[in-house]
Amino acid sequence: MKLRTALLGAACAFALAPAAYAERGADGHVNVLYWQAPSILNPYLSSGTKDVETASLILEGLGGFNEKGEVIARLAESVPTVENGGVSADLTTITWKLQAGLLWSDGTPVTSADAKFTYDYCTHPEGGCAQAARYEGIKSIDTPDAQTIVITFDAPKPNPYQAFVGGTSPILQAAQFANCLGAAASTCTDQNFMPIGTGPFKVTEFKTNDTVSLEANPNYRDPAKPAFATMTVKGGGDAQGAARAVMETGEFDYAWNTQINPEMQAQMAAGGKGVFLNGFGTLVERIEMNMTDPSADLPEGERSTVAHAHPILSDINVRKALSMAIDRQLLVDVGYGAAGRPTCNLVPAPELYASDNTECIPQQMDAAKALLDTAGWTDSDGDGIRDKDGKKLSILYQSSTNPVRQDFQALVKGWWNELGVEVELKNIDASVFFGGDAGSPDTFQKFYADVEMYANNFDGTDPEPYLAQYMCDKIPGPSNQWQGENINRFCDPAYDALVKEMSATADLAKRSELAKKMNDMLTKDSYVVVPLVDRGRLSAASNTLGGVVLNTWDTELWNAQDWFRVK
Amino acid sequence: MLTYTLRRLLLAIPTLLLISLVIFLLVDFAPGSPMSEIPLTVPPEVRQKMIEAMGADQPVFIRYLLWLRQFFWVEPAGLIDGWFGTSLAEGQQRIISWQTRSPVFVTIGQRIPQTLTVIGSAYAIGVLIALPIGIYSAYRQYSWFDQLGTFVAMVGYSVPTFFTGVLLIVIFSVNLGWFPSIYDTTLKVVDWDSFIKQVMQMALPVTVLALFNAAEISRYTRASFLDNLSQDYVRTARAKGMSEKTVVLKHVLRNSMIPVVTVIALGIPSIFAGAIITEQVFKVNGIGAALIGAIHANDLPMVQTLTFIFAVLIVLFNLIADILYGVLDPRIRYD
C-alpha cells in the first residue's frame, strides 16, 4: 500500500511536472516579499541589498555570478578569459562583446555607448556613486564599435570581473540617464524609480519603501521567458511576518532574508506551504580582538591607537585560549539553525580560497585553561579571575544591539567566565555602531573595547580586497578620521608582503594558496580574528514556485526569468 | 471668536518655528548616520562621497535654513505649480529624502491614502462603537453590560496592538485563512469584487485599531455621561415629566458630548501620524511605517518633515478643539 501510494505520488508529480519555458507570461502573477522594502531602483545611488536585488529584475550587467560563484554571461556573448583572448595576456585589458540584437525594454538597441555612459555616471566626482569601488583601477573604457567594450586598467588586474558584472554593477540606459550625471543624480526621481532595463521584468509602478509592480519585459532576449506575466515586490514588516506569509498563509511566493530563530524555523516549516532555502556565501560572524589599548585612562587620540599595545590581548596565548573556550556549534544551534554553520575561517568560501582549517570547532575548555596556566595567567589572589604581573584578565566585549548577538554575548561570557576571565558586556545600537561617525565613541571602527563582534563579508568571489583590509596602513585612527578597515589594528610586514604579492599574481592556484595563507595568518596562527559562524542566507519559497535557485554570489533574484508556477 | 482664532493662529507661527528647530536639532544630534545601513563592503572613501552628495556634511544651521526654505517656499510653490501650471519652483531643490533620493512629499503623497483609509476608518468605527457603549454603560452603571464594557475597554486599552495584531493574524489568516495578513497597497477599488477585497484586507488592521480607539473613547463618554446624569437639570427635566428618552438622548447627551468631542478632535492628528506598530504588523506601509523606516535609516529630511507635519496638525487640532468647545458650550466665550 505504502509503495503504491508513493508510486502514485511520484507519477502525479511527474504528470504535473510543470511545462516550464512554455510561453512568456503564461504563468500569471508572482508575489515576492522583501521585508526591508526597496527605496530606489538605481543600485548606483544605494548599495542596500534590498535595492540592488530588486533592481536586478530590471537592470543587468554584461555578466553575473551563478550559484557556484562562477562568472556567467548576461548581456555579453560570452565571458572573456585569457584563454579565449578576451582578457589580454598582461591582464591590463578586458574586451566584452554584447550579444547581437539586444533591446532595452522601450525597444531601442543596447550599445556599447550605454556601458561607457554607466562608467561615466558612476565615476562622476559629484555623483556620490555607491558602487564606485566596482570601477576602481579603470584607466579608460573604449567602444570601438556598437557591440564592443574594451576596459583598460591602470595596472594588471587578476580579477577583471568587477565592472559590469553582477547585480551591483548593471548597465544603465544612456538615453534615459543623460541628464542625471553628477549632482543632478538625485533630481532624477523618475529615472531612479523606473529605470529602463534589459532584465526579464520592467517597472509599471513604484511606491518607494512599499511596493514595486512589474510586468514581463516585452523585449527580453529570450522570447519564451519570463514565465510570469506580472510580479509584485512588496515590502514592510519583519522577517518573521515575511516567513509566515510564505510558509503559513501562502499569500506570497517568495520571501527574502527570513532570518528567524531555529525554533521558529521549525514551527513555520510545519506550516507546509513552502520551504526554506539556504545557501552559504562569505558572511562570517566573528569576534575581533583589539591589538591596541582601549583603556579610558589614556588621553583621547591615543585610545585604541597603535601608540599603545593591548596589555593582555597582545599575548597570543590569551587570544588562543579565548577562541578555544567557545562552542561554535552551540552558537549555531541557538542563533541560526539551518542558516549557519561553525567556521574557523575568515574566508569560508568560495571553495578555491577556503582554508581547510577546522581545528577550532570542538570546544577545548580544559586545554584552554592549561594554556593560560602555562603562559603564567593564574588566579594568584583567589578572586576567580586570572592575572599576571598585576594585570587582570578582564575584558569589555561589545557588539551591536540584535537579539542573536546578545544571546551569543551571554553564552560566550559564560564560557570565558569559566575560563577565569572577567567579561563586561556592552551593546550599541546598530545605526551608531556601524554609522562610522568619527565623533561617536561607539563605532566599531573606534573600537573602544577589548573585543567586539559583528559580521562582514566581501563582494563577489575574489577575497583579495577583503584580505587587503588587514594591511598596516589601513588601521583606523585619529589621523584618518577613524576610517580604516583594519579594525583589529593588526600589523605584520610579512602579511603586507603577501597582499602585494597577491595583487600581482594572476595564476588561480597561486592566488588560492596566498589567500589561504593570509586567512590562516589572521585566524589560526594569530587568533586576531576569531571566526564563529558562517552565516548563510535563508529565504522562503512557496511549494508552488518552481525554478528558484538561491545564489549567494549575486542577487537572490538572479534567475527570476527561469521561475515558473508549479501546477 | 474670530479675533481669538486669528490671535491663536498668529501665536502658532513662532511656536511651530521653535518646534521645527528643536526637532531638527534633536534628530541631527541623535547618534547614527545615514550610512549605517550600507553594507560594510562599501569602502570608506565611497561612503564619504555618498555623504557629500547628500549634503549631509554641511553645518547644521545651513541645513536647517535650507530645510526651512524648502519647506515653506519651494514645496508650496511646487504645489501651486502643480495646480495652476506656473513655474515658481522650477529648478529649485525640493526636500530630498536620503533613503530614496526622491522628494519627501512624493513619498508622503503615496502614503497618505492608505493611512487615511485604514487608520481613518478604524478611528471612525472606534468612535461609532465607543459612543453607544459609553452611553449605555453610564446609564446602566454597574449592570452586567457596564461590567463587560469596562472589561473590554481595559483589555483593548492595555493589550498592545502588536500583540492583538499578531494574535488576529495567527487566528484569522494562518489557521482559518479568512483574511489576508498583508495589505496590498496597489489594489484599486473599481468594482464590487475589488471593493470586497479592500474590505477583507482592511478587516484585521481596522479591528485591532478600532478596539484600541473605542476603549479610550468609551471610557471618556461613560465618565462624562455619569457626571451629567447626577446634575440638577436632569432631575428638573424628569420632574417636568419628560420622557426618559428625551432626558437621556437630548439633555444629558448634548451636555456630556462637550468633553468627548474635544477628545475626539484631539485624537485626529494621530490618524495622520498613522499607527506605527499596526502599520508594520499588517504591512499597510502608511505614514507611520514611513516614519519608522526613516528613523531606522537615519533619513533626517524625511524624519524632520514628517514630525513637523505632525506638530502642525497637533497645534491645529488643539485650536479646533478649543473652538468647538466654544461652539458647543455657549457659556464659554473667548472674546
Side-chain angles (χ1 to χ4, degrees), chain A residues 39-40 47 128-130 186 189 193 206-211 234-237 245 251-252 431-432 435 456-457 483 485, chain B residues 31-33 36 38-42 44 46 50 99-103 107 110-111 180-183 185 280 283 285 298:
Chain A
S39 306
I40 188 169
S47 48
C129 176
S186 60
T189 307
F193 280 6
F206 183 80
K207 291 186 168 186
T208 182
N209 287 340
D210 176 19
T211 318
K234 167 86 181 172
E251 289 165 85
F252 276 73
S431 68
V432 176
N456 198 355
N457 65 331
Q483 292 305 314
E485 291 147 318
Chain B
S33 143
S36 60
I38 299 293
L40 296 180
T41 49
V42 173
V46 176
M50 290 174 75
Q99 272 179 100
T100 67
R101 303 292 185 95
S102 68
T107 312
Q110 285 174 350
R111 296 306 181 94
S181 68
I182 291 174
Y183 188 88
T185 48
Q280 282 288 98
K283 289 120 194 133
N285 292 344
N298 283 289

Side-chain angles (χ1 to χ4, degrees), chain B residues 40-258:
Chain B
L40 296 180
T41 49
V42 173
E45 312 85 70
V46 176
R47 287 164 182 266
Q48 190 52 39
K49 284 267 182 213
M50 290 174 75
I51 287 185
E52 282 166 21
M54 289 171 179
D57 58 336
Q58 302 277 337
V60 60
F61 272 93
I62 299 216
R63 279 185 287 131
Y64 176 62
L65 292 176
L66 187 68
W67 178 85
L68 277 185
R69 192 187 120 79
Q70 287 169 339
F71 190 90
F72 290 105
W73 167 245
V74 182
E75 292 292 344
L79 199 64
I80 293 169
D81 289 353
W83 286 341
F84 302 109
T86 49
S87 53
L88 293 170
E90 208 168 271
Q92 310 224 42
Q93 176 80 292
R94 299 181 63 184
I95 305 174
I96 299 283
S97 150
W98 289 346
Q99 272 179 100
T100 67
R101 303 292 185 95
S102 68
V104 165
F105 279 92
V106 170
T107 312
I108 297 178
Q110 285 174 350
R111 296 306 181 94
I112 282 285
Q114 54 253 38
T115 295
L116 286 189
T117 342
V118 177
I119 319 294
S121 47
Y123 199 69
I125 292 174
V127 170
L128 287 181
I129 44 182
L131 294 183
I133 291 181
I135 294 168
Y136 196 73
S137 296
Y139 187 62
R140 292 255 180 267
Q141 198 186 5
Y142 305 131
S143 67
W144 67 267
F145 184 89
D146 183 29
Q147 307 284 7
L148 187 74
T150 308
F151 177 74
V152 171
M154 289 316 278
V155 169
Y157 203 62
S158 55
V159 179
T161 49
F162 63 80
F163 180 78
T164 36
V166 174
L167 186 73
L168 290 189
I169 287 182
V170 169
I171 297 174
F172 292 103
S173 295
V174 177
N175 289 328
L176 297 173
W178 291 353
F179 301 107
S181 68
I182 291 174
Y183 188 88
D184 177 7
T185 48
T186 57
L187 182 72
K188 288 185 183 68
V189 179
V190 285
D191 50 17
W192 184 247
D193 282 349
S194 52
F195 177 73
I196 294 291
K197 259 195 179 157
Q198 177 67 20
V199 170
M200 296 285 277
Q201 69 171 351
M202 278 170 63
L204 294 183
V206 167
T207 310
V208 168
L209 282 173
L211 181 69
F212 185 75
N213 290 328
E216 188 187 2
I217 297 166
S218 72
R219 297 316 285 170
Y220 275 111
T221 315
R222 180 179 177 276
S224 156
F225 220 81
L226 278 178
D227 278 350
N228 278 290
L229 273 176
S230 56
Q231 298 277 324
D232 290 343
Y233 75 85
V234 179
R235 200 184 317 151
T236 315
R238 282 195 176 125
K240 280 199 297 186
M242 284 181 156
S243 73
E244 194 63 11
K245 196 176 144 195
T246 322
V247 172
V248 173
L249 291 184
K250 212 164 168 196
H251 292 74
V252 184
L253 181 65
R254 266 199 193 171
N255 284 300
S256 50
M257 276 305 102
I258 296 171

Side-chain angles (χ1 to χ4, degrees), chain A residues 261-298:
Chain A
N261 66 43
E263 199 182 318
M264 230 183 274
Q265 285 173 23
Q267 190 191 326
M268 297 252 180
K273 294 218 160 107
V275 285
F276 281 116
L277 307 166
N278 64 343
F280 290 92
T282 57
L283 186 65
V284 172
E285 186 81 27
R286 80 287 288 282
I287 290 177
E288 306 264 18
M289 303 273 176
N290 193 345
M291 302 300 283
T292 60
D293 191 355
S295 165
D297 302 335
L298 291 170

Side-chain angles (χ1 to χ4, degrees), chain A residues 182-303:
Chain A
S186 60
T187 60
C188 292
T189 307
D190 292 344
Q191 286 88 337
N192 296 333
F193 280 6
M194 301 182 97
I196 294 170
T198 53
F201 292 93
K202 64 176 210 178
V203 200
T204 52
E205 192 187 9
F206 183 80
K207 291 186 168 186
T208 182
N209 287 340
D210 176 19
T211 318
V212 193
S213 308
L214 305 120
E215 65 179 28
N217 172 3
N219 294 312
Y220 188 62
R221 55 188 175 278
D222 185 336
K225 292 176 185 176
F228 288 106
T230 49
M231 179 190 271
T232 304
V233 181
K234 167 86 181 172
D238 53 18
Q240 192 189 336
R244 181 178 295 123
V246 172
M247 308 291 289
E248 293 193 326
T249 68
E251 289 165 85
F252 276 73
D253 296 302
Y254 188 84
W256 162 85
N257 193 14
T258 49
Q259 285 286 8
I260 48 178
N261 66 43
E263 199 182 318
M264 230 183 274
Q265 285 173 23
Q267 190 191 326
M268 297 252 180
K273 294 218 160 107
V275 285
F276 281 116
L277 307 166
N278 64 343
F280 290 92
T282 57
L283 186 65
V284 172
E285 186 81 27
R286 80 287 288 282
I287 290 177
E288 306 264 18
M289 303 273 176
N290 193 345
M291 302 300 283
T292 60
D293 191 355
S295 165
D297 302 335
L298 291 170
E300 196 61 26
E302 288 185 33
R303 268 182 97 177

